[in-house]
Amino acid sequence: MPRITVYGQTITCDRGENLRRILLKHDISLYNGGSKLINCRGIGSCGTCAVAIVGEVSAINWREKARLSLPPHNPDNSRRLACQVKVFGDIEVTKYDGFWGQGDAVISYQ
């Protein structure tokens, strides 16, 4: 079972599970500020669940690539949308500040 490390916690999941669903199931928030209420609920259109990921996950799809290429995101940041990511191996997830998670400061706990 893959392990996900986020905010200093480690949780496990089945291979191929959706990252957003896993984190929310374990009461781990992906959203900053008002985006907790105003988000697309996992269809990949808002970009508020952007995170940095190290480890084995699915390849970026067209929807994710399109959203992350638009402001306020920057395609050079190497962020991913948790709602579009499938977990295939152990990963480390980092959330950043900003409404869309597009900032430069790491969020240490939510």
Side-chain angles (χ1 to χ4, degrees):
M1 294 186 88
R3 290 176 296 166
I4 301 167
T5 303
V6 59
Y7 302 131
Q9 300 177 53
T10 301
I11 58 176
T12 59
C13 68
D14 290 328
R15 182 177 165 80
E17 277 195 75
N18 176 274
L19 180 58
R20 177 184 180 272
R21 287 187 204 126
I22 297 162
L23 296 179
L24 294 178
K25 180 171 114 178
H26 286 88
D27 295 321
I28 298 171
S29 178
L30 284 166
Y31 303 105
N32 298 338
S35 69
K36 290 174 186 172
L37 300 173
I38 303 170
N39 63 72
C40 69
R41 307 291 187 247
I43 63 171
S45 62
C46 73
T48 58
C49 65
V51 293
I53 301 172
V54 175
E56 189 182 355
V57 295
S58 56
I60 192 166
N61 64 32
W62 68 268
R63 182 184 314 243
E64 185 179 9
K65 189 173 187 175
R67 180 58 193 99
L68 291 173
S69 69
L70 299 171
H73 289 291
N74 178 343
D76 296 331
N77 274 351
S78 299
R79 304 273 161 85
R80 299 290 306 270
L81 298 182
C83 68
Q84 301 297 301
V85 169
K86 291 180 182 176
V87 180
F88 292 138
D90 294 348
I91 64 170
E92 197 169 310
V93 177
T94 304
K95 181 71 178 174
Y96 289 86
D97 66 337
F99 185 86
W100 288 272
Q102 82 284 5
D104 295 323
V106 172
I107 304 284
S108 58
Y109 178 77
Q110 289 209 343

